[in-house]
Amino acid sequence: MEEYRLGELRHLLTTVFLSGFSEFLVKPVMTDVTVAAVCSGLNETCSLAVYLTGVEQVTVGLGTMVMMPVIGNLSDRYGIKTLLTLPMCLSILPPAILAYRRDTNFFYAFYITKILFDMAKNVCGRKRISMFGVLAGVRSISGVCATFSARLLPITSIFQVAAISFFFGLVYMRVFLKERLHDDDEDDCDEDDNTSGRNHHDGGDLTMLAEPILRDAPTKIHIVLNTKYSSLKDMVSLIKNSTILVQTLVVTFFATFAQSGMQSAFLYFLKARFGFNKNDFAELILLVTIIGSISQLFILPKLVSAIGERRVLSTGLLMDSVNAACLSVSWSAWVPYATTVLVPVTMFVMPSVCGIASRQVGPGEQGKVQGCISGVKSFSGVVAPFIYSPLTALFLSEKAPFYFPGFSLLCVTFSLMIGFFLSLLIRDVPSPSMNKAINNISREEA
């Protein structure tokens, strides 16, 4: 059965690779393109570029939260394959625009279409997923290949290749990827669980490993779809009944708040402080991607088995705060490369959060928990740019109250430290299924 299902995924994996390749390909060059398009000349401390990045984060976050219920109903009615056609069609336009011209007017056209694409992409990727770890591996391979290609290709060719890859991904998906009926998928899942007796948390562990690598994928698809949205009242009731879940959500807020701030500030800080360009960004991203992928797939499972998810979460937050603190006071261009040694631990934060949260409820309530986590992450992602974008723009400009280009990264450190101290309050408790098994054993012995 496992081999059969893996065989069914071959077309999905190809689609994920092509779309992921396109998305990763343009990341190293976007900072240079943005500064060149909206600033006078190549002013590396231009505030407008920083604010545009913040506006994009806020708009995408708000649009995602507003559109999610509508898209969910459309997915139930027309199927996930039909729904994926929208973001994949929109994904072709942004790189195609910049492949043609990259002056100010064309950049703003790219900017608007990219916001629409990101909203559709995030909405289609928010439904709950139970996937194989191989999907995360393919996504990682596409990131490594794309970043390496970005290091070698000129800017014009990068956008041309990205548009072509998106187009082939769309065509391949429409031709080869088969629509799966939701009811059939759920029946298959129930049948497998009844016949094999497999623990429901096994699938959750694979999701935990795959989630941080795939959170930005435009083709993040569910093998098992939970199409019934829980009401807000059910989620509130779930939160009230679990103190650990509340603590986990609070930690999620501060961790995601810091991650959003890092996304807003880091690349612009490197460009203003050390004059990084496309090649430098590509080398750094490639190094982080390789180290992060290895740690996610090989180190994390062993570490969780050895010390537990709560300690892994606390360790990850502590190392992430040390990483941000070192970056904020970077005195040389080699410091960002040196701090990548902390990446194996810092990549464990969100997988640990998902693992801890999922173990506080039974298999039938996993969708509610993931909905709570997604809501908290969306909210923090919307709030963060209002804080970090002005700070980054101010301290990278000549109007800064004192000289500290990395001040916004220091604020990221404070947010991570708050999350770290709060994570220490989370108690290590067995999951509900484990508690049930313990109770049954106690009764039998009695």
Side-chain angles (χ1 to χ4, degrees):
M1 180 62 70
E2 290 292 336
E3 294 180 358
Y4 172 74
R5 288 182 175 178
L6 188 59
E8 282 187 322
L9 286 175
R10 64 185 183 277
H11 299 311
L12 171 62
L13 299 179
T14 303
T15 305
V16 168
F17 179 87
L18 291 172
S19 59
F21 180 87
S22 302
E23 188 180 354
F24 280 111
L25 188 64
V26 301
K27 283 186 176 181
V29 75
M30 282 313 304
T31 303
D32 287 345
V33 171
T34 303
V35 171
V38 304
C39 304
S40 56
L42 292 175
N43 181 8
E44 295 176 349
T45 60
C46 176
S47 299
L48 181 57
V50 178
Y51 281 114
L52 283 176
T53 302
V55 170
E56 179 184 352
Q57 288 179 291
V58 173
T59 306
V60 171
L62 290 175
T64 300
M65 289 188 292
V66 171
M67 293 173 59
M68 190 181 297
V70 178
I71 298 297
N73 291 330
L74 292 176
S75 174
D76 294 340
R77 179 176 299 181
Y78 299 107
I80 193 67
K81 177 180 176 180
T82 302
L83 191 63
L84 278 173
T85 303
L86 173 61
M88 295 195 71
C89 286
L90 289 175
S91 66
I92 300 173
L93 297 178
I97 291 173
L98 292 186
Y100 179 69
R101 289 184 65 179
R102 291 180 300 281
D103 57 21
T104 303
N105 293 332
F106 279 85
F107 174 80
Y108 281 115
F110 157 84
Y111 183 76
I112 294 172
T113 55
K114 186 174 184 298
I115 288 177
L116 295 174
F117 158 57
D118 286 341
M119 283 193 293
K121 173 194 73 176
N122 289 341
V123 168
C124 291
R126 290 299 179 91
K127 279 176 170 279
R128 185 169 174 262
I129 188 169
S130 179
M131 63 174 66
F132 295 106
V134 68
L135 194 60
V138 171
R139 178 69 176 168
S140 301
I141 293 172
S142 69
V144 172
C145 295
T147 309
F148 182 75
S149 301
R151 175 63 178 82
L152 302 177
L153 294 173
I155 293 179
T156 302
S157 298
I158 286 176
F159 291 107
Q160 292 173 347
V161 172
I164 293 172
S165 181
F166 267 130
F167 175 76
F168 278 113
L170 171 64
V171 173
Y172 191 94
M173 185 270 294
R174 293 299 304 173
V175 173
F176 295 104
L177 192 62
K178 295 182 179 181
E179 184 71 82
R180 295 282 307 268
L181 295 178
H182 303 171
D183 293 339
D184 293 342
D185 288 338
E186 292 175 355
D187 292 341
D188 292 342
C189 180
D190 294 338
E191 182 179 351
D192 292 341
D193 288 341
N194 292 334
T195 56
S196 65
R198 182 177 300 167
N199 193 318
H200 286 274
H201 289 292
D202 292 345
D205 291 339
L206 292 177
T207 303
M208 181 188 71
L209 295 177
E211 192 271 344
I213 300 177
L214 299 174
R215 62 173 177 267
D216 295 325
T219 55
K220 194 163 57 175
I221 302 174
H222 294 61
I223 306 305
V224 180
L225 290 169
N226 182 5
T227 58
K228 298 179 181 179
Y229 281 86
S230 302
S231 66
L232 182 60
K233 178 188 264 186
D234 292 335
M235 290 187 177
V236 171
S237 175
L238 183 67
I239 293 174
K240 287 182 177 180
N241 294 329
S242 177
T243 302
I244 294 179
L245 180 57
V246 174
Q247 294 172 326
T248 304
L249 293 177
V250 175
V251 172
T252 300
F253 173 83
F254 284 102
T256 308
F257 188 80
Q259 290 174 357
S260 299
M262 186 67 76
Q263 292 174 6
S264 300
F266 184 48
L267 297 185
Y268 290 107
F269 165 76
L270 293 179
K271 186 169 183 63
R273 183 74 174 86
F274 305 114
F276 271 37
N277 56 26
K278 181 261 296 183
N279 292 338
D280 299 315
F281 291 138
E283 292 169 355
L284 185 59
I285 294 174
L286 180 62
L287 186 60
V288 171
T289 303
I290 293 175
I291 296 176
S293 300
I294 294 174
S295 64
Q296 288 275 342
L297 297 176
F298 300 105
I299 300 178
L300 177 59
K302 295 181 180 180
L303 197 60
V304 169
S305 300
I307 64 176
E309 289 168 336
R310 204 276 301 166
R311 291 183 177 85
V312 170
L313 172 61
S314 299
T315 304
L317 288 168
L318 179 61
M319 292 298 100
D320 209 357
S321 62
V322 172
N323 177 49
C326 292
L327 292 173
S328 68
V329 296
S330 297
W331 58 92
S332 178
W334 60 265
V335 175
Y337 294 96
T339 57
T340 56
V341 298
L342 299 174
V343 167
V345 183
T346 61
M347 295 288 285
F348 299 163
V349 173
M350 291 314 301
S352 300
V353 165
C354 294
I356 293 173
S358 67
R359 294 180 189 281
Q360 306 312 309
V361 298
E365 296 178 313
Q366 293 296 317
K368 299 176 184 178
V369 170
Q370 298 304 320
C372 292
I373 294 177
S374 297
V376 171
K377 291 172 66 176
S378 297
F379 178 71
S380 62
V382 170
V383 174
F386 287 102
I387 306 297
Y388 290 108
S389 292
L391 283 176
T392 303
L394 176 62
F395 281 90
L396 291 183
S397 70
E398 298 177 353
K399 299 179 181 179
F402 51 89
Y403 181 76
F404 197 159
F407 184 77
S408 57
L409 299 182
L410 184 62
C411 295
V412 169
T413 303
F414 294 150
S415 179
L416 289 168
M417 286 303 299
I418 293 174
F420 165 71
F421 287 119
L422 292 175
S423 70
L424 297 178
L425 302 177
I426 300 177
R427 295 183 298 110
D428 291 321
V429 297
S431 63
S433 58
M434 187 178 297
N435 283 331
K436 184 177 180 180
I438 293 175
N439 292 334
N440 290 336
I441 293 175
S442 300
R443 288 171 187 159
E444 291 176 359
E445 292 178 349

